Amino acid sequence: MRTDKAHDIMRTYYNPLKFMFAPKSVALIGATEKEGSVGRTLLWNLISHPFGGTVFPVNPKRKSILGIRAYASLKDLPESVDLAIIATPAPTVPDLIRECVETGVKGAIIISAGFKEIGAEGIKLEQEILREAKKGNLRIIGPNCLGLICPSSGLNASFASTSPGLGNVGFISQSGAFCTSILDWSLQENLGFSAFVSIGSMLDVNWGDLIYYLGDDPQTESIVIYMESIGNARDFISAAREVALTKPIIVIKGGRTEEAAKAAASHTGALTSSDEVLASAFRRCGVLQVDTISEIFNMAELLAKQPRPKGKNLTILTNAGGPGVLATDALTWGKGRLTHLSEETIKKLDEILPVHWSRSNPIDILGDATPQRYAEALEIASEDDNSDGLLVILTPQDMTDPTKTAEALLEVAKKIKHKPILASWMGGSTVATGREILNHANVYTQSYPDDAARLFNLMWRYSNNLNALYETPSFADSEELIDRPLASKIIGHAQATGRTLLTEYESKQLLKAYGIPTVETHIALNAEEAGAIALKIGYPVVLKLHSETITHKTDVGGVQLNLGDEEAVTTAFETIKTGVNENDFLGVTVQPMANLTGYELILGSSDDPQFGSVLLFGTGGELVEIFKDQALGLPPLNTTLARRLIERTKIFTALQGVRGRKPVNIAQLEQILVLFSQLVIEQPFIKEIDINPLLANEDELISLDARVLLYPPETKLEDIPSPAIRPYPTQYISHHTLNNGDRFTIRPIRPEDEPKIVNFCTALSEQSVYFRFFHSISRQSLISHERLARICFIDYDREIALVACDNMGDIRAIARLSRIHGDLESADIGLLIKDNYQHQGLGTLLTQSMINIAHQEGIKYLRADMLMDNHAMQNLCRKLGFELHSQDHLVRAILTMEN
């Protein structure tokens, strides 16, 4: 999904880490002439790769190094520098960082090792460094890193033995040794980079900062990451969600097995989340995860050359049966599908192919295939609407001309705009020229067809994840179903009594407070009450032990099933009561005996130390750990994300109806997942919760049993892992009446608003569009899904968009507050109002709301850019206390929040 930049409200792009990648001056602290030393290699790389700036070696023991004047300290330099590179022992670094701040250095790269990877002593040093750096807003890459290389600026601030060529891949690695290996390999493969960064242990600059930098960098077309630990999960997800729409982000994760995770932890000194949780996070933010080093760069090249497929159907065209079969195996093992050729396609192929062609997919056009036959068959196959991608295989047989075939295919490939074309020219020198022709024309080639099929599988999965991420969900207004005070009361009571485990009754009441259907449950203190309740709800019933101390009720005879009359209820009550100590017995719960026809599902959540709450959905019941049919996801969910979570399980096939069974209500199941995700997000003191079973059949979806584990009562909120994705900020919903009496609700935008935003944009005048976006936009582009997805699907941690809705729910105005990349204390604001609602006070109301939100979000500076002739916006900003400055044919309004 390629999108323009017009979704950003009044954002002026600048790159806050530019001084690290293109500094005007660099100080190298720890420079030396000692052969084979890090300090010498760093200095040599800096001076032998001109970057247009000055290099200052810093070493108190030397007057000059490699013929360049050396300085005793930063304070002795003739000017302040942009970037300091530190290659001295770890204990010296805190004082050096302090000196950097005092002398106005903007950024530092700490090459030195000996920090958190060595334990408590190293962690203490890091904390001291960070305290000093924050005093001067000093940004730090590292420690324990190789450094960075920026071929576009010429900077080589690393101790690598080689320097890469200029290209369009931004590479970030947590392992310095991995960096050097990739560098060496890239020279052999003639692969260039836009940036090459060893990030180390991420004391300050993290994945999110660098993803934003490379996302804004025009030289970078794709981002490749070697990751051992994710660090700040929310920063990574926020940045990746925004950038992945315009540039592929491809990750290979080290430490995916238990043994490798231990090695990674000792290497980086950081926590690593489970592979399943991390994979769900990657899916949620549109990141492509691969398994091998070769796949990283193959996918970067493939996605740069070819469009993403719309589905998983691949058409294979080959002049030999065996390679086609191998490609088919690889495709189907990876869950891809062979295109089912339409009757029209087969008919057209019959007209141009020999009588003995395969008449199915793979399309075997036989060993004597000429360049013309290849070209005609490819053109016909590409026109089949069932096909999402094409793989052309050539084996060098006596009758085959690989070079002319490649040339013939290029003429057809130029016409195929919306489907990826992959080619496998099998062989060595015989096919080399043809392969080179295809590569130069942006047709991706692989030596082996099964590898090409695997890459196609990665392509459609990546495309599917992105499409699902920005697919407009159905509207699911759940506010009327939720009773937050009741939920808080239940949890508060348990905490007040010193408990971490809710009773079954409390657990079901908690689910009910969030609109999740549960089996009707009542508490009875004696046998008479139990009998009366049973009579009221109808036999047969179930009695269960009601206790705040015993969790496994079955173990003590605390569950009595299928009780058909009053006598059975009385007997069951006494059995349960006498089976436990008096202090453990608080009565029984009475509930109807459920009809267990249907499917037993599990819906749960537990806290991950880095990602916060992680949702689980799948096959439930007593054999849940045997079947292991579950999918993980991150809250909050909307209906689309809930559907994708359900679809990733095997039980989904059965839920749609099999062997005469009618389907369950999937829409209601989606709603339950959405409500459940709200519960775990809004009630942070829940440590673990699961509904098992959640019974699903054609008539109902109902929770039969639930277990809720809380954090200990003394736990502080700040000690609980935060959600990786910020939930919908309900605190910013407000209601207003304008001077003319019109009533409006101002609330944060949500993905479900896209149809309303279409109506809003359709009614805008050309002048309003021009004033807002600084250029004309066609009506079709203005309301395209690709563009509106960027407006409605936002990350509330990075930006807040408010919509003003009238009493019919229609959107009349929209305003946006966007944090500036790399500067979380500053933000851009923008405003767009429907023409017939302008000059009525709505703009003032929205802008004032944005100022209030900025204050609550800890933002210190607001800015808004506008055209010179947009006098209404200028007057509005002036009235609200902004200072206006003219620059570059624009007016920039700045508000300092402290004022």
Side-chain angles (χ1 to χ4, degrees):
M1 184 189 292
R2 298 284 178 182
T3 59
D4 58 32
K5 299 293 185 182
H7 69 280
D8 292 293
I9 303 282
M10 302 298 187
R11 174 176 288 174
T12 298
Y13 285 103
Y14 83 102
N15 219 313
L17 293 181
K18 193 71 175 178
F19 55 80
M20 284 187 155
F21 290 82
K24 295 177 181 177
S25 53
V26 177
L28 173 57
I29 306 170
T32 177
E33 286 193 353
K34 183 180 178 182
E35 290 285 349
S37 67
V38 170
R40 180 189 172 96
T41 304
L42 280 164
L43 182 58
W44 179 251
N45 282 342
L46 285 168
I47 62 177
S48 62
H49 298 86
F51 60 91
T54 309
V55 179
F56 298 103
V58 176
N59 187 327
K61 299 179 181 179
R62 299 296 300 269
K63 295 294 184 182
S64 68
I65 302 172
L66 297 182
I68 305 172
R69 180 183 173 183
Y71 297 84
S73 70
L74 289 174
K75 294 178 181 179
D76 296 316
L77 298 182
E79 61 183 74
S80 179
V81 298
D82 286 341
L83 179 64
I85 304 170
I86 300 174
T88 60
T92 68
V93 176
D95 286 338
L96 292 172
I97 292 296
R98 185 180 301 112
E99 191 175 346
C100 286
V101 171
E102 292 171 353
T103 56
V105 177
K106 296 177 181 177
I109 301 174
I110 303 175
I111 303 293
S112 319
F115 292 93
K116 67 181 176 184
E117 70 273 11
I118 69 168
E121 183 180 345
I123 292 173
K124 186 178 179 182
L125 278 176
E126 285 194 356
Q127 292 170 345
E128 189 177 349
I129 289 169
L130 206 51
R131 277 196 303 270
E132 294 298 331
K134 285 183 177 179
K135 294 176 182 178
N137 293 321
L138 177 75
R139 301 309 307 271
I140 296 172
I141 289 178
N144 190 13
C145 69
L146 181 76
L148 74 82
I149 306 172
C150 185
S152 59
S153 69
L155 179 72
N156 186 336
S158 78
F159 62 93
S161 58
T162 57
S163 191
L166 178 62
N168 52 31
V169 176
F171 181 74
I172 317 170
S173 172
Q174 219 162 359
S175 165
F178 189 78
C179 282
T180 57
S181 301
I182 293 298
L183 269 179
D184 193 50
W185 172 82
S186 71
L187 295 175
Q188 176 186 318
E189 296 294 321
N190 197 28
L191 175 69
F193 296 92
S194 58
F196 201 90
V197 187
S198 168
I199 199 171
S201 54
M202 299 187 296
L203 177 61
D204 174 38
V205 172
N206 60 22
W207 299 117
D209 294 314
L210 292 172
I211 288 171
Y212 275 132
Y213 175 85
L214 296 173
D216 289 341
D217 175 35
Q219 182 69 37
T220 301
E221 294 183 6
S222 59
I223 300 169
V224 168
I225 291 173
Y226 169 74
M227 177 186 290
E228 289 178 351
S229 63
I230 196 166
N232 188 318
R234 182 175 280 191
D235 275 2
F236 175 87
I237 290 175
S238 293
R241 284 178 73 187
E242 180 173 332
V243 173
L245 267 183
T246 52
K247 298 181 181 182
I249 302 174
I250 306 165
V251 175
I252 183 169
K253 170 68 169 64
R256 295 175 65 183
T257 63
E258 186 176 345
E259 291 78 8
K262 290 176 182 177
S266 62
H267 184 203
T268 63
L271 290 170
T272 54
S273 290
S274 74
D275 186 46
E276 292 87 353
V277 175
L278 199 58
S280 68
F282 289 153
R283 274 192 298 269
R284 183 65 184 267
C285 59
V287 166
L288 173 62
Q289 183 179 12
V290 298
D291 296 324
T292 66
I293 297 172
S294 62
E295 286 176 345
I296 296 179
F297 295 102
N298 284 335
M299 287 305 298
E301 180 185 353
L302 177 52
L303 291 170
K305 287 181 173 180
Q306 292 291 318
R308 298 197 311 267
K310 295 180 179 179
K312 60 173 70 174
N313 296 327
L314 180 67
T315 302
I316 300 173
L317 187 68
T318 179
N319 69 341
V325 171
L326 291 175
T328 300
D329 283 342
L331 177 73
T332 53
W333 284 334
K335 304 298 177 65
R337 287 193 302 243
L338 284 174
T339 304
H340 179 71
L341 300 179
S342 68
E343 291 297 325
E344 183 182 1
T345 298
I346 292 175
K347 183 178 179 181
K348 288 181 178 179
L349 289 171
D350 277 339
E351 293 173 0
I352 62 140
L353 295 180
V355 67
H356 298 299
W357 78 279
S358 60
R359 294 187 56 77
S360 63
N361 188 13
I363 302 171
D364 187 346
I365 61 175
L366 306 182
D368 61 349
T370 63
Q372 182 181 358
R373 190 188 300 173
Y374 259 105
E376 290 177 350
L378 177 62
E379 185 168 10
I380 292 170
S382 70
E383 293 170 352
D384 194 319
D385 291 337
N386 297 329
S387 177
D388 300 309
L390 302 145
L391 169 58
V392 184
I393 303 172
L394 179 143
T395 59
Q397 303 182 37
D398 284 344
M399 303 77 71
T400 308
D401 190 327
T403 302
K404 289 185 178 179
T405 301
E407 291 171 347
L409 289 185
L410 292 188
E411 296 305 313
V412 178
K414 292 175 184 177
K415 305 175 187 177
I416 303 172
K417 303 295 185 183
H418 304 297
K419 296 178 182 180
I421 304 173
L422 293 82
S424 177
W425 258 224
M426 299 178 66
S429 58
T430 306
V431 301
T433 303
R435 189 183 296 149
E436 187 175 346
I437 289 171
L438 292 170
N439 274 326
H440 281 303
N442 282 342
V443 174
Y444 180 82
T445 64
Q446 266 287 330
S447 297
Y448 306 111
D450 50 338
D451 285 343
R454 291 186 189 96
L455 292 175
F456 176 79
N457 280 334
L458 288 173
M459 280 188 91
W460 70 254
R461 284 197 206 101
Y462 172 63
S463 186
N464 190 51
N465 287 345
L466 278 183
N467 292 339
L469 191 60
Y470 293 99
E471 181 181 329
T472 306
S474 60
F475 182 67
D477 190 359
S478 56
E479 287 303 304
E480 294 183 0
L481 301 174
I482 298 175
D483 186 348
R484 292 183 180 88
L486 174 59
S488 298
K489 181 181 178 182
I490 293 168
I491 292 173
H493 172 71
Q495 291 177 317
T497 56
R499 290 184 288 126
T500 59
L501 193 70
L502 298 188
T503 66
E504 179 198 8
Y505 179 77
E506 289 171 329
S507 299
K508 289 179 177 176
Q509 289 298 106
L510 181 64
L511 296 178
K512 192 175 179 180
Y514 271 81
I516 298 170
T518 61
V519 65
E520 182 181 356
T521 303
H522 303 271
I523 295 175
L525 302 180
N526 52 56
E528 290 75 18
E529 284 186 11
I533 293 169
L535 184 62
K536 182 179 180 180
I537 64 177
Y539 292 102
V541 297
V542 177
L543 262 61
K544 296 182 181 180
L545 171 66
H546 178 51
S547 173
E548 294 181 350
T549 53
I550 296 176
T551 58
H552 299 291
K553 298 179 286 291
T554 306
D555 295 346
V556 294
V559 179
Q560 301 291 316
L561 304 173
N562 206 24
L563 307 174
D565 52 38
E566 185 176 359
E567 181 180 351
V569 167
T570 301
T571 302
F573 184 93
E574 294 301 326
T575 300
I576 293 172
K577 182 177 181 180
T578 55
V580 296
N581 294 328
E582 184 178 348
N583 293 335
D584 295 324
F585 182 79
L586 298 178
V588 298
T589 60
V590 186
Q591 52 195 272
M593 182 71 191
N595 178 3
L596 296 180
T597 303
Y599 304 102
E600 292 186 322
L601 308 176
I602 184 171
L603 177 57
S605 172
S606 60
D607 275 2
D608 179 271
Q610 290 179 293
F611 288 94
S613 299
V614 178
L615 303 175
L616 177 146
F617 172 82
T619 303
E622 293 180 353
L623 300 179
V624 60
E625 294 179 1
I626 303 299
F627 289 129
K628 293 183 179 180
D629 172 32
Q630 292 100 29
L632 301 183
L634 297 179
L637 300 178
N638 56 38
T639 54
T640 296
L641 294 171
R643 176 70 175 235
R644 294 294 176 265
L645 185 63
I646 297 166
E647 287 175 347
R648 294 207 311 272
T649 61
K650 296 176 183 177
I651 193 68
F652 174 65
T653 303
L655 296 178
Q656 297 175 92
V658 291
R659 295 189 176 182
R661 286 191 179 185
K662 293 182 179 180
V664 305
N665 189 335
I666 300 293
Q668 185 188 0
L669 184 56
E670 292 170 7
Q671 174 80 342
I672 289 173
L673 265 66
V674 171
L675 291 166
F676 186 81
S677 77
Q678 282 187 262
L679 166 61
V680 300
I681 279 281
E682 294 178 358
Q683 302 298 332
F685 287 101
I686 295 176
K687 185 177 182 180
E688 296 178 14
I689 176 173
D690 62 65
I691 304 171
N692 186 23
L694 171 65
L695 186 66
N697 56 46
E698 62 186 83
D699 298 317
E700 64 178 349
L701 287 156
I702 192 163
S703 308
L704 298 185
D705 204 354
R707 176 179 178 273
V708 180
L709 180 66
L710 306 177
Y711 281 98
E714 66 275 10
T715 305
K716 296 179 181 178
L717 188 59
E718 57 266 27
D719 294 332
I720 296 174
S722 298
I725 300 171
R726 183 174 176 177
Y728 185 78
T730 55
Q731 69 270 30
Y732 295 142
I733 299 174
S734 58
H735 305 279
H736 305 269
T737 302
L738 300 182
N739 292 334
N740 63 7
D742 287 347
R743 295 181 178 180
F744 282 88
T745 296
I746 293 179
R747 59 168 176 80
I749 202 168
R750 53 194 175 200
E752 295 89 342
D753 285 326
E754 186 177 335
K756 294 181 179 181
I757 295 293
V758 170
N759 295 334
F760 170 77
C761 290
T762 302
L764 293 172
S765 67
E766 290 185 8
Q767 184 185 59
S768 290
V769 173
Y770 182 75
F771 275 174
R772 166 57 193 86
F773 300 115
F774 303 176
H775 61 89
S776 298
I777 301 176
S778 70
R779 191 69 60 189
Q780 183 178 359
S781 297
L782 195 64
I783 62 174
S784 68
H785 170 69
E786 289 79 10
R787 187 178 170 280
L788 295 186
R790 299 296 298 266
I791 291 175
C792 300
F793 291 76
I794 65 173
D795 183 341
Y796 301 114
D797 205 43
R798 294 287 172 171
E799 54 187 349
I800 300 288
L802 295 180
V803 291
C805 303
D806 61 18
N807 56 7
M808 299 296 292
D810 294 326
I811 294 172
R812 304 305 185 190
I814 179 171
R816 186 171 297 246
L817 176 82
S818 303
R819 292 185 188 270
I820 295 172
H821 291 172
D823 181 5
L824 298 182
E825 294 184 343
S826 302
D828 287 325
I829 64 168
L831 182 66
L832 188 57
I833 304 174
K834 196 173 179 181
D835 289 67
N836 57 337
Y837 283 84
Q838 295 175 8
H839 309 295
Q840 297 180 23
L842 200 52
T844 301
L845 187 61
L846 275 169
T847 307
Q848 187 62 61
S849 296
M850 281 300 182
I851 292 171
N852 294 337
I853 290 173
H855 179 73
Q856 294 182 58
E857 296 289 323
I859 292 169
K860 295 182 179 178
Y861 305 99
L862 287 179
R863 73 182 192 189
D865 289 346
M866 60 209 76
L867 294 172
M868 286 283 191
D869 49 355
N870 190 351
H871 300 296
M873 188 66 183
Q874 293 169 35
N875 292 334
L876 171 62
C877 289
R878 195 176 288 112
K879 180 175 71 173
L880 293 175
F882 286 77
E883 293 182 4
L884 272 59
H885 308 273
S886 298
Q887 59 179 52
D888 299 330
H889 309 293
L890 296 175
V891 174
R892 171 163 289 181
I894 298 176
L895 179 67
T896 303
M897 298 297 291
E898 293 176 356
N899 297 333

